[in-house]
DNA sequence: CTGTTAGCGCGTTCAT
DNA sequence: ATGAACGCGCTAACAG
């Protein structure tokens, strides 16, 4: 393997000159520059990443911290990951995937101490997040996907949940719906201060209050069966419900089944809008879902860029960015059904 | 930040002794061992990953190479990634995600030359894969998820496609189906030598030949609309078809729609089994799909373990492993329908 | 069993 | 505009 010394020899210059030529840290005469790069070319030289990192004290590696949850990552998260990897590469950084136990703060501390990575992008940030507190305290560079309390000076990228819920409700209201429920993620997530669950809940309450509607909402574990049960429970308590807004994509199939089992049809008898989800998911369902889609790709990318800007000492254009979701009307929402008429028809038919 | 030298000083020993104690490369008296670890504890020392890598010529970092396709990664791939990350960590390795343009061999060469990683796990290997050829030629350690031609001595983990297709057909045959078609992935993927597409196709042909049935198969792009069209084309040409086997999970919603648009019901009028997919996908559909599910988590894990064994000079238990898929009967398969009777009923009804 | 020391490959200060 | 030399933190001979 060619080293910098071999390049220097071949070009007839000192190693330091090669280094300067490579990093542009110092002016080099055009002539020697040529010779150096020619030697590099001929030898097929590539700087040794570790050596460079050791000397410069910057590894040009960043970590994407993702929680090693039992239920695994969702589809949405996958796009974070790939886009983050791409963004890192475009900035000549490598991205290591650091899955870890959320409760094990020590593991995170070790990551920061072994000096492998220059900074971390933290996913799934919670309202009061011990990890963030620690990172701040030891002054380790980081950016977040999600937000937490007291982060005025921290870089983050998140979804504009409030606006998203509003758009969902507006869409349904525009179709005449008034009895709308919000199907949240699990109570456990909510109580743990999981941002998306907390913010969507709050937003829904506020929006329904503004409209002088009753705010009906319910927690639901992120799985099919729970969705089925939650829907039935919701309709037992509120028979007039004609639409649901949810961010619980894993529960949706269950909801769909439950609707089906009532001999109802979506969207004729019930409307459903799923927020913060992806096209792939939406198109897999029958009928294809009306959604508010996050540009998740953008989030991973922004998270990484936020961190890298910080590492390079560049001031970011925006320290904190809230991404909107786009309404895509497919076939899970329709005009508010007239249940009374439908029943009468059924009786007479 | 504490360094090894500071630990040595505090423990009153030489740096090398600390190093040996840490790596177990040399016997250390219990007493000094104690002192050393105590000093480490007190100082909160953690070895500097880069320095260690530079000196030992082993970074303990491996890369997961995944193609940066336009359509993004599927659900199945996500589980690869997370399980790979976990497996790496359990072996004290870091996993960097290396997304790259499949056509750009040079990029891969650079990765290997910058000596950041000790080896790579290659995903989505093709029959004749230039990347593999290159890696072999430069003798860079790697393992594959998937297989390619001429790899008798290479480590890989793959799905047992042949058995999987057989299980799918057997299941349908057991329900009385005889007119069964295989809906493949895109012709482009097949012609590019994409292993799964090639092997499932071959397996299906062989199995149908064994059964003296006509082998009906069709390519289909991996998207909803293509699934819809493919199903209709298939039934135009073969009206007696009563079941489909497919590995094209993205096309499935289209197929389901097409069936629905004929006023047919799954599984009463048509059966569908989806192979090499995941529970999550299966449960998202209505009705929930009968599938052959791959243990994708296992694949990512095995891929990295294969590589790490190689790096550590351990002989692997198995160099090449073929993973079976598990049949999960849900509600997309049923007894072969009697179309003639159904039609007569419809006429008389 | 333990200490001394020479690298690993590159960045960077101090000369020139 | 260029060289020489030292140091980053650690591993691994070599030498007791």
């Amino acid at each position: 393997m060619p080293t910098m010394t071999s390049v220097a020899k071949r070009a007839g210059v000192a190693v330091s000159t090669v280094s300067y030529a490579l990093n542009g840290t110092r002016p080099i005469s055009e002539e020697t520059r040529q010779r150096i790069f020619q030697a590099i070319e001929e030898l097929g030289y590539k700087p040794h990443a570790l050596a460079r990192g050791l000397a410069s004290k910057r590894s040009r590696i960043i970590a994407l911290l993702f929680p090693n949850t039992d239920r695994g990552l969702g589809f949405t998260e996958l796009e974070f990951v790939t886009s983050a990897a791409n963004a890192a590469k475009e900035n000549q950084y490598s991205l290591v995937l650091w899955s870890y136990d959320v409760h094990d703060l020590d593991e995170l501390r070790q990551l920061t101490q072994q000096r492998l990575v220059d900074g971390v992008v933290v996913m799934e940030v919670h309202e009061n997040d011990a990890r963030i507190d620690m990172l701040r305290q030891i002054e380790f560079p980081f950016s977040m996907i999600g937000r937490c309390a007291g982060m005025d000076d921290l870089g983050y990228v998140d979804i504009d949940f409030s606006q998203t819920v509003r758009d969902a409700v507006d869409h349904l209201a525009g179709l005449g719906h008034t009895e709308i429920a919000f199907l949240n993620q699990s109570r456990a997530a909510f109580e743990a201060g999981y941002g998306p669950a907390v913010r969507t809940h709050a937003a829904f309450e506020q929006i329904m209050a503004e409209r002088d509607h009753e705010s009906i909402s319910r927690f639901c574990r992120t799985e099919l069966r729970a969705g089925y049960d939650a829907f039935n429970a919701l309709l037992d308590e509120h028979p007039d419900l004609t639409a649901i807004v949810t961010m619980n994509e894993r529960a949706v199939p269950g909801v769909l089944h439950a609707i089906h089992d009532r001999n109802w049809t979506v969207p004729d008898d019930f409307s459903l809008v799923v927020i913060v989800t992806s096209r792939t998911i939406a198109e897999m369902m029958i009928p294809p879902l009306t959604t508010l889609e996050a540009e998740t790709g953008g989030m991973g990318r922004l998270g990484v860029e936020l961190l890298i800007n910080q590492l390079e000492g560049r001031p970011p254009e925006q320290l904190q960015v809230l991404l909107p979701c786009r309404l895509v009307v497919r076939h899970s929402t329709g005009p508010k059904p007239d249940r009374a008429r439908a029943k009468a028809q059924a009786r007479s038919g």
Side-chain angles (χ1 to χ4, degrees), chain A residues 76 79 159 275-278 292-297 299 324-326:
Chain A
T76 321
E79 289 180 354
I159 287 167
I275 65 175
V276 195
T277 185
S278 62
L292 276 123
E293 293 172 16
E295 227 212 290
T296 46
M299 296 192 60
C325 287
R326 196 168 45 93

Side-chain angles (χ1 to χ4, degrees), chain A residues 27-37:
Chain A
I28 300 283
S29 81
E30 189 49 31
E31 190 212 0
T32 58
R33 239 189 72 87
Q34 295 285 342
R35 283 217 313 284
I36 290 174
F37 278 98

Side-chain angles (χ1 to χ4, degrees), chain A residues 50-125:
Chain A
L50 299 182
R52 184 196 282 247
L54 179 58
S56 67
K57 299 183 179 313
R58 315 204 35 242
S59 67
R60 297 194 76 85
I61 306 176
I62 58 180
L64 181 62
L65 247 52
F66 71 91
N68 190 3
T69 56
D70 39 346
R71 59 160 179 68
L73 256 31
F75 207 92
T76 321
E77 282 91 333
L78 176 58
E79 289 180 354
F80 281 4
V81 174
T82 63
S83 68
N86 286 329
K89 187 156 72 163
E90 284 162 29
N91 291 280
Q92 281 96 257
Y93 273 75
S94 298
L95 206 239
V96 342
L97 222 54
W98 200 264
S99 101
Y100 71 106
D101 182 347
V102 194
H103 310 296
D104 193 350
L105 259 188
D106 211 51
E107 210 177 318
L108 175 54
R109 173 174 287 114
Q110 303 215 350
L111 170 63
T112 65
Q113 293 196 358
Q114 85 190 46
R115 327 266 306 265
L116 209 218
V117 302
D118 292 339
V120 297
V121 177
V122 187
M123 280 175 64
E124 306 253 317
V125 174

Side-chain angles (χ1 to χ4, degrees), chain A residues 214-322:
Chain A
E214 184 188 4
S215 172
I216 303 165
S217 69
R218 190 170 229 287
F219 294 112
C220 175
R221 274 171 301 112
T222 54
E223 56 179 41
L224 191 148
R225 183 75 215 172
Y228 189 93
D229 295 339
F231 178 83
N232 286 327
L234 231 25
L235 263 94
D236 283 352
E237 292 171 32
H238 308 275
D240 293 336
L241 228 48
T242 60
I244 281 184
V245 173
T246 185
M247 191 176 56
N248 190 335
E249 72 187 19
R250 298 219 176 198
V252 169
V255 171
L256 255 17
H257 280 125
I259 294 173
H260 188 255
D261 284 357
R262 277 181 195 243
N263 281 320
W264 281 357
T265 304
V266 173
D268 296 340
D269 302 299
F270 205 89
S271 286
L272 186 63
V273 18
V274 185
I275 65 175
V276 195
T277 185
S278 62
R279 199 180 78 140
T280 314
I281 295 286
E283 292 187 341
M284 258 179 206
M285 309 282 191
I286 297 178
L289 304 171
T290 292
T291 56
L292 276 123
E293 293 172 16
E295 227 212 290
T296 46
M299 296 192 60
R301 162 169 305 280
L302 279 169
V304 166
E305 287 173 353
L306 231 41
L307 175 60
I308 293 182
N309 279 338
Q310 188 180 333
L311 291 174
E312 312 262 301
R314 287 178 232 140
E317 318 78 71
Q318 285 185 81
L319 225 201
Q320 310 181 329
V321 7
L322 284 185

